[in-house]
Amino acid sequence: MGFYSQVILPPLLDWSLSDATIAKLRYELLQDVQGEVLEIGFGTGLNLGFYPNHIQKITTVDKNAGMNAFAKRRIQNSQIKVEQLTLSSEQLPIANHTFDSVVSTFTLCSITNVRQALKEIHRVLKPGGRFFFLEHGLSDKPQVQIWQNRLTPLQKIIGDGCHLNRDIYALVAAQFPDVNIQQFTPVNMSDIIAHFYQGVATKSSPQQEWQN
Ligand SMILES: C[S@@+](CC[C@H](N)C(=O)[O-])C[C@H]1O[C@@H](n2cnc3c(N)ncnc32)[C@H](O)[C@@H]1O
């Protein structure tokens, strides 16, 4: 991983994702997180201040050591104990059925093999466990989609693999049949970069699988 990704990008992303509108969405998303928690694509740790007070420990995964280093200051100022793993979420060295909650914000857009990462998220969740996500992706407006497809090659360079045109609902629903999702664009933002998907996907319990 190069100088741009490890040194230039962390402060840039930290600044661009610190917006007050996004902060409110982070807060809303994380209020129901509980139990053993895994956050994938931890980045600079911007979610840390929004976890409920009863969360005492989280495990985090990010493949970029520069992001993990940038996040240290935020971790030191937090009451939450953080175990940081520098690795890719496409292959998690974690046992099946470990976590009650998995969190991802603005990360499914960047993971190279996102279907494999979603399989891993599903695998490490306990039965009945929940995947909380806030992501940007493909708009439902054809005119916007044209621009998202045109600009994605450039965005992948600037944003270290970030796609503007991923259908996050289809990706999550392919792994989790039970998804509760909202799609919207905040008023002060552009549809091209800020068609947001916010939701919770639940892993079936063995009893539900038996009934299906
Ligand atoms: C746009 S940033 C979002 C950071 C943070 N989640 C937030 O909301 O501020 C995307 C993050 O995903 C990480 N990432 C990309 N691909 C990954 C992968 N395969 N495994 C783990 N992390 C990954 C990047 O290094 C980066 O820190």
Side-chain angles (χ1 to χ4, degrees):
M1 195 164 281
F3 183 78
Y4 174 75
S5 301
Q6 291 207 51
V7 179
I8 310 280
L9 198 58
L12 265 184
L13 273 180
D14 195 69
W15 169 75
S16 64
L17 292 171
S18 294
D19 176 275
T21 304
I22 294 177
K24 184 166 176 281
L25 296 173
R26 292 181 191 278
Y27 170 79
E28 287 166 3
L29 179 76
L30 297 175
Q31 287 320 288
D32 290 334
V33 169
Q34 49 118 23
E36 300 286 326
V37 182
L38 171 69
E39 182 173 333
I40 64 151
F42 185 59
T44 61
L46 281 168
N47 286 331
L48 209 45
F50 299 105
Y51 280 98
N53 289 338
H54 58 82
I55 300 295
Q56 291 176 354
K57 188 202 156 194
I58 64 173
T59 303
T60 70
V61 167
D62 201 295
K63 66 170 190 177
N64 184 339
M67 292 286 178
N68 287 332
F70 196 97
K72 292 267 189 246
R73 181 182 45 89
R74 221 165 244 134
I75 292 170
Q76 277 158 13
N77 292 330
S78 169
Q79 301 292 324
I80 300 175
K81 186 168 178 278
V82 177
E83 183 185 352
Q84 277 184 301
L85 304 175
T86 306
L87 47 85
S88 172
S89 53
E90 290 145 331
Q91 211 169 6
L92 298 172
I94 293 170
N96 296 349
H97 308 166
T98 299
F99 295 101
D100 300 283
S101 305
V102 177
V103 171
S104 167
T105 59
F106 306 111
T107 293
L108 298 182
C109 54
S110 303
I111 297 173
T112 308
N113 189 345
V114 63
R115 286 180 183 80
Q116 176 60 27
L118 282 160
K119 259 190 203 158
E120 284 291 87
I121 290 169
H122 188 269
R123 182 182 67 74
V124 301
L125 272 172
K126 295 176 187 173
R130 289 182 294 171
F131 173 43
F132 297 81
F133 57 93
L134 170 62
E135 301 286 342
H136 71 101
L138 189 70
S139 166
D140 46 6
K141 299 183 188 128
Q143 207 48 41
V144 177
Q145 290 180 359
I146 290 171
W147 280 101
Q148 290 182 314
N149 290 330
R150 278 186 189 151
L151 292 173
T152 286
L154 178 63
Q155 175 70 5
K156 281 171 74 178
I157 297 167
I158 301 168
D160 205 17
C162 173
H163 296 67
L164 297 170
N165 59 355
R166 284 190 171 163
D167 183 339
I168 301 296
Y169 172 68
L171 287 165
V172 175
Q175 193 59 58
F176 291 85
D178 179 357
V179 191
N180 196 336
I181 194 165
Q182 287 176 290
Q183 296 187 47
F184 57 93
T185 300
V187 278
N188 53 349
M189 294 188 186
S190 152
D191 254 345
I192 296 173
I193 54 165
H195 179 82
F196 286 171
Y197 295 71
Q198 178 168 351
V200 181
T202 307
K203 179 171 175 173
S204 312
S205 61
Q207 193 188 6
Q208 283 168 319
E209 273 170 14
W210 176 74
Q211 283 167 347
N212 286 336

